[in-house]
Amino acid sequence: MISPLKRKLLQEYDFPIEWNITGFGSMTHVKYLYSLLDVCKTMGLATPIKTVHGCFLSKFNGGRSSISYAPKEEIREHVRKFNSYGVGVKMTLTNTRITPDDLKDPYLNFLLETLNDGQGNGVICVVDCLAEYIRENYKNLTLTASIIKTELETVLGETDTPEHYNALCERFDEVVLNNTRAFDDDFLDQLKYPEKIEIIANHACVPDCKCAAYHHQLIEDLDAIRDKCVKCNKDYRDDPAYKDVNDKITSIVGNCNKRKNSNNLDDMEIQTLNIEEINHLSKKGFRKFKLEGRDHNIIELCVSVVYYIFNRDSAAINLYF
């Protein structure tokens, strides 16, 4: 049992929350997460983090850019180290163009074997053939249906119905919810498996963005170019294809920011959950929450962690952060 004094260091919720934190795939973020877990250990706190998610540079990643490259043994060691803290690793193998032929890829199977050998690990994915392959061959892993899957298969805010999510929950261990749905109690009440739904607490995208799927596919194209160039010892910034894709992403992000600014950040406020809203959702049975942000700098991640996980008024926590 956590003492009252130690409990004050953590943000208090009405029900236990399972946090899935971004950062696996960026060495800066990984080092921060290790220090965070060490702080918890030093203070005698049970870790408030259940899993971390992300992926080091790989053509199988998608959705958010992989920031760092790492050799195989280093990846294996990071998985083992997180597992030693009692924290699982969910790799974002969310490339939308994975085919059955890719399932034979030695590197893909190395990643899956590394996760499968540990405890509490899983894969966030989009493509059905990969999900089925993992179910058949890597039975220790949990499967999460990425929000990218819903972006591709539905029109956000229109055809991502309760039936859509209920069907996904019958095939996956966890399913990421379109954040605008998190504020619709009538919609939430029609979800049969709240215990399987994961909600992004600090979602930064424009609500029901119609460019989301295209944006995420451009990012996976960018990672594929970077992955190819790294393996050939070339600077990916010299590749004309990289500049072309990067310019398209810059255009999308620019338009996105214009929309946010023109609405005085109302869109951002709609997507981001506060503590009271998380408590409201937890009473309905939704206990899985995610902090996104591989594309955010480390300061932004720290702000999210301190707000959602720790008591910001704690003097002890302020010494560490």
Side-chain angles (χ1 to χ4, degrees):
M1 176 180 291
I2 299 175
S3 72
L5 178 62
K6 290 178 179 178
R7 187 180 293 114
K8 291 180 180 179
L9 299 176
L10 298 174
Q11 181 63 252
E12 293 186 335
Y13 291 96
D14 293 339
F15 293 91
I17 302 298
E18 297 180 6
W19 285 106
N20 176 19
I21 311 296
T22 187
F24 192 84
S26 161
M27 281 312 305
T28 302
H29 291 57
V30 165
K31 290 176 182 177
Y32 166 70
L33 291 170
Y34 287 153
S35 68
L36 179 66
L37 293 167
D38 285 335
V39 166
C40 291
K41 186 175 181 179
T42 299
M43 292 182 172
L45 298 173
T47 174
I49 301 171
K50 183 174 183 180
T51 53
V52 296
H53 66 270
C55 188
F56 286 92
L57 184 60
S58 163
K59 67 179 182 179
F60 300 109
N61 175 63
R64 292 292 183 270
S65 182
S66 297
I67 298 174
S68 303
Y69 168 77
K72 287 183 177 180
E73 190 51 46
E74 190 173 319
I75 293 172
R76 185 183 287 112
E77 183 56 34
H78 285 309
V79 171
R80 288 173 178 167
K81 187 168 182 177
F82 275 113
N83 286 177
S84 74
Y85 285 106
V87 175
V89 174
K90 294 181 182 178
M91 285 195 192
T92 49
L93 305 182
T94 47
N95 187 296
T96 64
R97 301 183 181 94
I98 292 174
T99 69
D101 287 343
D102 290 319
L103 304 179
K104 306 170 187 175
D105 185 277
Y107 186 74
L108 173 64
N109 283 278
F110 157 75
L111 296 177
L112 296 175
E113 288 167 6
T114 298
L115 293 171
N116 198 63
D117 288 343
Q119 296 294 324
N121 301 323
V123 171
I124 304 173
C125 61
V126 174
V127 178
D128 287 338
C129 68
L130 175 60
E132 292 163 3
Y133 179 72
I134 293 171
R135 276 275 188 249
E136 181 66 27
N137 298 281
Y138 298 97
K139 299 183 184 298
N140 288 340
L141 302 183
T142 60
L143 281 174
T144 301
S146 170
I147 183 60
I148 302 172
K149 186 172 184 63
T150 292
E151 291 168 358
L152 285 172
E153 296 179 356
T154 72
V155 177
L156 294 183
E158 297 178 23
T159 59
D160 59 327
T161 62
E163 292 75 19
H164 165 77
Y165 291 104
N166 289 336
L168 285 180
C169 284
E170 290 173 358
R171 297 168 48 213
F172 289 84
D173 301 302
E174 298 173 349
V175 176
V176 182
L177 184 72
N178 171 15
N179 259 56
T180 56
R181 299 303 196 182
F183 302 90
D184 184 342
D185 279 353
D186 289 339
F187 186 95
L188 295 172
D189 289 342
Q190 297 178 66
L191 298 179
K192 296 180 180 179
Y193 310 96
E195 73 281 0
K196 287 191 171 188
I197 296 293
E198 184 176 76
I199 302 172
I200 305 172
N202 63 337
H203 199 38
C205 288
V206 171
D208 298 327
C209 180
K210 301 303 184 284
C211 294
Y214 177 55
H215 185 185
H216 287 144
Q217 286 180 322
L218 287 174
I219 293 172
E220 69 189 41
D221 289 342
L222 209 64
D223 266 9
I225 294 167
R226 293 173 62 219
D227 180 61
K228 179 186 69 174
C229 289
V230 166
K231 290 176 179 176
C232 298
N233 293 317
K234 295 181 180 179
D235 189 334
Y236 60 84
R237 290 166 293 189
D238 294 333
D239 192 314
Y242 176 85
K243 184 179 184 306
D244 179 59
V245 174
N246 197 50
D247 286 348
K248 291 176 181 176
I249 293 174
T250 300
S251 177
I252 288 176
V253 172
N255 290 331
C256 178
N257 288 335
K258 285 180 182 177
R259 180 177 168 186
K260 291 175 184 176
N261 293 334
S262 68
N263 285 283
N264 296 317
L265 298 184
D266 283 348
D267 287 329
M268 293 287 285
E269 292 168 3
I270 291 172
Q271 293 285 78
T272 303
L273 297 168
N274 60 36
I275 305 302
E276 182 180 349
E277 288 163 337
I278 291 178
N279 277 327
H280 174 70
L281 289 163
S282 70
K283 289 175 184 175
K284 287 180 167 291
F286 300 93
R287 310 284 168 79
K288 298 179 185 293
F289 291 88
K290 177 178 178 179
L291 293 184
E292 67 177 15
R294 270 177 294 156
D295 289 347
H296 299 172
N297 62 45
I298 193 65
I299 300 301
E300 292 172 307
L301 176 58
C302 288
V303 169
S304 290
V305 167
V306 171
Y307 176 75
Y308 288 106
I309 296 179
F310 289 98
N311 183 347
R312 291 171 294 166
D313 297 326
S314 166
I317 286 300
N318 286 322
L319 288 174
Y320 280 95
F321 298 97

